[in-house]
Amino acid sequence: MTYDVNDFDSLDVVNNDRDHVWHHLAQHKPFEKTGPMVIVKGEGMRVWDSKGNEYLDAVSGAVWTVNVGYGRTEIADAVRDQLVEMNYFAQTAGNVPAAKFSKKLIDKMPGMNRVYFSNSGSEANEKAFKIVRQIAHKKYGGKKTKILYRDRDYHGTTIATLSASGQYERRNQYGPFVPDFVEVPHCCEYRAQDDADKSNYGVWAANQIEKVILAEGADTIGALCLEPITAGGGVIEAPAGYWPRVQEICKQYDILLHIDEVVCGLGRTGTWFGYQHYGVKPDIVTMAKGVASGYAAISCTVTTEAVFEMFKEDEDPRMGYFRDISTFGGCTAGPAAALVNMEIIENEKLLENATHQGEYLRGRLSDLMSKHPLIGEVRGKGLLVGIELVKDRATKEPVEEETVMAIAGHCMANGVIIGRTNRSFKAFNNTICLAPALISTKEDMDQLVAALDDAIADVTSKM
């Protein structure tokens, strides 16, 4: 497929963008010379810019969102029809697509039962934090307000969610932060701590959480918030033994387990939710990005019925319920899009495809390791894949962020968009992050690997 740039006034659009749009995660000074990139068309796995250049999108809209691919008219039609019928009413009342989607979603999440709608992953996590804090006051006399988060995990861009961020360059210049957020150590076996038990690292890493709990006082901690697979922090899957021990610790110390599925949810890892690979039984699950594949803004904070029941007490009818609202949680476009998005995943067997294509992709990338000593490790699950780059495999010294940027730039120049750890850490912005849509084919994976092969070879030759 080709895209005709004459279909619109591309120069006018680019000029207006440069002069008036404040882009995310972007230094704008270079735009004065080159102009910003403007994406004008998407179809399947590919997007086109205002100059007519075609790209294979290996990060699903740059931030792991467009799970079912671009150009899904069935989702757009469902949203249009719903907006004409009923576009908005605050979630103080119900609406038809929210009720239908809630039931369909809960059917995929045994043990969970209540869905609270908002409009972004950051907001979904804020709601979870507020639930934990209110429970602390309702049930524990104002104690158990502390929320544990993990080094290298990420939960959003608001001040509260940055307070729970294990990515310190993302936090820089935004303090002071919200109190009572406490970090626990990471579980990246490739970067295992010097004093770790390497023979049983998963259990050892989980036990470090218990040490923090005991140091802080278990009676002060309300929740533990974790990504099922750390995404932007380097695509890190916890080793065997980690999750059963985490579950045991939370139960022992009466701590709610909050799983952040904003990236992993809705098929990214080959199951509906990442935590479902590990037999975890969470109390709170948050999700956003892939819920509607970017066709409408929607996020969900999902809880067990036991958590919900804590807000139904009659002792204080004015203060006892969850006194929160999300304005755009009342938009019907989100759940309308989410319903069709989920049907596409089911009907096209995209969970299975994510599993198979992910295995194929990791296999191809592992083959590249024999050619490129720069590759230290390939890891991930489903279509969430990380490639950690190092100067030396023996020492595991990370490459500079500029090296990864150069590889990404080379791929972009050759029509493939990849992701990377992006100004998140002082030393470990050295991982290429891949999250192609769940509709990926072997041909797409081959094109991606070929672009990476050429880019790594070119950049290495100049080091």
Side-chain angles (χ1 to χ4, degrees):
M1 179 178 177
T2 59
Y3 186 75
D4 186 357
V5 297
N6 295 318
D7 287 349
F8 70 104
D9 188 343
S10 60
L11 180 61
D12 189 49
V13 168
V14 171
N15 287 340
N16 289 342
D17 183 289
R18 183 191 60 230
D19 293 343
H20 304 295
V21 176
W22 197 334
H23 286 261
H24 303 180
L25 292 174
Q27 170 55 260
H28 283 63
K29 189 67 176 177
F31 295 165
E32 295 176 3
K33 294 182 178 180
T34 63
M37 181 181 191
V38 177
I39 300 296
V40 299
K41 172 73 175 178
E43 185 68 33
M45 288 283 295
R46 286 160 176 78
V47 297
W48 287 260
D49 67 16
S50 58
K51 298 178 181 178
N53 297 314
E54 178 181 333
Y55 303 92
L56 174 70
D57 179 5
V59 275
S60 299
V63 288
W64 1 54
T65 298
V66 190
N67 282 10
V68 300
Y70 298 97
R72 291 287 189 168
T73 56
E74 58 268 56
I75 301 180
D77 290 344
V79 170
R80 185 265 176 199
D81 292 347
Q82 177 58 51
L83 292 179
V84 172
E85 183 73 17
M86 177 65 192
N87 68 306
Y88 176 86
F89 197 91
Q91 269 287 317
T92 51
N95 64 68
V96 173
K100 287 183 176 179
F101 177 64
S102 294
K103 176 61 168 64
K104 193 171 183 66
L105 178 63
I106 291 302
D107 285 347
K108 310 298 184 188
M109 304 178 72
M112 310 303 291
N113 202 49
R114 295 284 175 168
V115 183
Y116 190 98
F117 289 100
S118 52
N119 69 300
S120 73
S122 297
E123 194 177 5
N125 285 325
E126 288 265 359
K127 305 308 181 188
F129 297 161
K130 290 178 72 175
I131 287 170
V132 172
R133 291 285 173 87
Q134 193 170 344
I135 289 172
H137 291 280
K138 286 167 59 64
K139 186 176 178 182
Y140 299 104
K143 301 184 80 174
K144 277 190 168 289
T145 57
K146 292 178 183 176
I147 295 168
L148 305 180
Y149 66 91
R150 185 172 56 192
D151 180 24
R152 299 186 67 137
D153 278 10
Y154 177 75
H155 303 294
T157 63
T158 64
I159 294 299
T161 54
L162 281 176
S163 302
S165 175
Q167 298 180 14
Y168 292 96
E169 287 202 347
R170 290 194 179 275
R171 292 166 53 121
N172 278 354
Q173 302 180 347
Y174 295 121
F177 295 103
V178 180
D180 281 5
F181 286 91
V182 180
E183 184 181 274
V184 301
H186 69 76
C187 63
C188 180
E189 192 164 17
Y190 186 72
R191 296 286 174 188
Q193 296 87 335
D194 291 338
D195 60 340
D197 177 2
K198 308 296 198 304
S199 67
N200 196 10
Y201 182 69
V203 171
W204 182 91
N207 284 338
Q208 305 318 295
I209 298 175
E210 183 179 35
K211 287 185 177 180
V212 174
I213 292 169
L214 295 175
E216 294 288 330
D219 61 344
T220 70
I221 297 169
L224 169 64
C225 179
L226 301 172
E227 290 185 84
I229 297 173
T230 299
V235 188
I236 301 163
E237 183 180 14
Y242 183 83
W243 285 107
R245 181 64 184 131
V246 165
Q247 189 88 68
E248 186 178 71
I249 290 167
C250 287
K251 185 176 181 180
Q252 179 179 350
Y253 296 107
D254 189 23
I255 293 171
L256 296 175
L257 180 56
H258 167 192
I259 302 296
D260 177 349
E261 291 274 356
V262 170
V263 171
C264 294
L266 278 297
R268 171 59 53 197
T269 67
T271 52
W272 285 108
F273 296 95
Y275 74 85
Q276 293 172 340
H277 289 287
Y278 310 111
V280 178
K281 296 180 180 179
D283 301 287
I284 303 171
V285 178
T286 48
M287 64 194 74
K289 299 180 185 294
V291 174
S293 287
Y295 286 84
I298 181 174
S299 65
C300 304
T301 304
V302 183
T303 74
T304 62
E305 191 69 7
V307 169
F308 175 76
E309 285 289 332
M310 295 186 205
F311 294 88
K312 288 175 64 177
E313 298 169 357
D314 294 328
E315 296 174 5
D316 188 348
R318 291 185 65 253
M319 300 291 286
Y321 61 94
F322 188 42
R323 301 180 323 282
D324 181 87
I325 187 169
S326 171
T327 298
F328 294 110
C331 287
T332 61
L339 270 168
V340 182
N341 183 70
M342 187 172 277
E343 289 169 0
I344 290 170
I345 294 172
E346 290 178 315
N347 296 339
E348 298 183 12
K349 301 186 185 305
L350 296 186
L351 299 182
E352 294 87 343
N353 193 62
T355 298
H356 297 323
Q357 297 303 330
E359 290 173 351
Y360 179 73
L361 174 59
R362 289 191 300 278
R364 290 293 320 275
L365 293 172
S366 294
D367 291 340
L368 286 188
M369 291 184 69
S370 62
K371 295 180 61 177
H372 301 296
L374 205 68
I375 299 175
E377 184 176 57
V378 174
R379 55 188 181 238
K381 210 169 195 68
L383 286 170
L384 179 60
V385 178
I387 308 166
E388 181 157 356
L389 304 180
V390 295
K391 295 180 180 179
D392 183 278
R393 286 181 183 169
T395 65
K396 300 182 182 178
E397 181 184 355
V399 301
E400 287 82 7
E401 183 172 2
E402 289 73 18
T403 299
V404 189
M405 290 172 64
I407 291 170
H410 191 287
C411 287
M412 176 76 79
N414 287 280
V416 175
I417 302 172
I418 66 171
R420 58 185 177 84
T421 45
N422 181 7
R423 295 180 175 89
S424 300
F425 311 102
K426 289 183 178 179
F428 295 118
N429 294 312
N430 65 317
T431 301
I432 293 169
C433 301
L434 305 175
L438 311 187
I439 61 171
S440 299
T441 66
K442 285 188 175 181
E443 290 73 22
D444 297 324
M445 301 299 93
D446 289 341
Q447 181 182 350
L448 169 57
V449 172
L452 284 166
D453 188 5
D454 289 346
I456 294 171
D458 182 72
V459 171
T460 301
S461 70
K462 299 172 182 177
M463 293 176 67

